[in-house]
Amino acid sequence: MDKLKALIFDLDGVIVTTEHNHFIAWKRTAESLGIPFEEEHNELLKGVSRVDSLKKILELGSKTISTEEFNALLISKNEFYVDSIQDLNQSDLLPGVLSLLEEARSKGIKLGIGSSSKNANFILKLLKIDHFFDVVIDGNGVEHPKPHPEVFLNGAKALSLAPAECIVFEDAASGITAAKAGGFIAIAVGNPNIAELADTYFNDLTEFSLEAYA
Ligand code: BG6
Ligand code: MG
């Protein structure tokens, strides 16, 4: 890669444990439609936008519903989810996150978020880590959700950097696909199912060393 200038992080499942909260909220939604929903089904939804996630759940159950019901389910899923994360705090950060943010900052490496979530800014504030990031691109700022590379390309553009100068950290197949399609170095974290898709795999961010890319 070119000289490392920035780290761009997915949020849910890379920075913070919220992927589990999404799973519980989608499970409740799916089961209200009579569709069984377990961890293996949730794997298909990781990194996927709210609208596309509900479409995938309906596909899973071979079900069609009215636009009104679809929109009402999106609202109730999000209300349940947001309610479940009210007590989120720094103890919910995944291992190695805080020290990596601090180290990168001290070395002048730019930091970004590239998330499909429309709740990203709210979560960063809850965690009191919003001040670390030079750019936050979230589900409100993209036309084409992951696996399209737009979210990461917009992040690199906002930082005035080329993709080859940035590392993307992801826990989802859709996110690794997006990062690779955009020309970024793609590191998978905490999800062995996607290790093969990525340039490198780490169990968590404590295993990542900035020195190795300096
Ligand atoms: C992604 C999560 O980051 O954001 C998905 O991996 C989630 O599980 C998606 O569905 C959309 O999030 P939100 O907060 O906008 O519903
Ligand atoms: Mg994720």
Side-chain angles (χ1 to χ4, degrees):
M1 74 177 292
D2 295 359
K3 186 172 167 19
L4 176 65
K5 302 261 179 63
L7 306 178
I8 303 180
F9 298 85
D10 171 50
L11 178 66
D12 300 302
V14 170
I15 295 276
V16 62
T17 55
T18 40
E19 203 51 73
H20 184 69
N21 301 71
H22 279 296
F23 167 57
I24 299 296
W26 282 130
K27 184 172 168 64
R28 179 177 170 272
T29 307
E31 289 178 355
S32 78
L33 292 163
I35 302 171
F37 191 79
E38 302 303 334
E39 297 267 9
E40 81 236 41
H41 307 119
N42 191 55
E43 203 54 43
L44 303 170
L45 269 49
K46 284 186 181 171
V48 171
S49 72
R50 200 180 305 167
V51 167
D52 288 347
S53 295
L54 184 50
K55 285 186 188 161
K56 281 184 193 279
I57 288 173
L58 291 168
E59 269 170 37
L60 211 63
S62 309
K63 237 185 134 95
T64 43
I65 56 175
S66 68
T67 308
E68 289 72 28
E69 195 182 350
F70 189 94
N71 291 333
L73 285 173
L74 290 182
I75 291 171
S76 67
K77 183 271 173 179
N78 192 54
E79 283 174 355
F80 183 87
Y81 170 71
V82 168
D83 207 45
S84 80
I85 58 170
Q86 289 303 320
D87 294 334
L88 217 58
N89 61 62
Q90 291 201 351
S91 71
D92 299 301
L93 289 172
L94 286 157
V97 169
L98 207 50
S99 54
L100 178 55
L101 295 178
E102 281 163 355
E103 187 189 355
R105 256 306 192 220
S106 76
K107 292 187 167 152
I109 292 179
K110 301 273 184 210
L111 296 172
I113 293 285
S115 168
S116 298
S117 173
K118 294 188 171 178
N119 294 299
N121 279 300
F122 168 62
I123 291 172
L124 293 172
K125 285 202 177 73
L126 271 182
L127 295 169
K128 298 188 171 46
I129 57 167
D130 48 315
H131 61 281
F132 279 108
F133 296 98
D134 300 287
V135 60
V136 176
I137 311 287
D138 65 9
N140 299 295
V142 292
E143 210 174 306
H144 309 289
K146 297 173 190 175
H148 193 284
E150 184 181 345
V151 66
F152 297 128
L153 291 173
N154 287 356
K157 198 169 166 196
L159 295 169
S160 304
L161 295 175
E165 297 174 307
C166 311
I167 292 177
V168 167
F169 296 94
E170 262 293 348
D171 71 319
S174 59
I176 292 291
T177 305
K180 298 287 289 175
F184 296 84
I185 303 293
I187 296 187
V189 192
N191 181 357
N193 300 318
I194 61 166
E196 293 289 297
L197 295 174
D199 292 309
T200 310
Y201 176 74
F202 296 121
N203 292 304
D204 65 44
L205 286 172
T206 62
E207 294 176 6
F208 173 78
S209 154
L210 265 181
E211 304 299 325
Y213 292 88

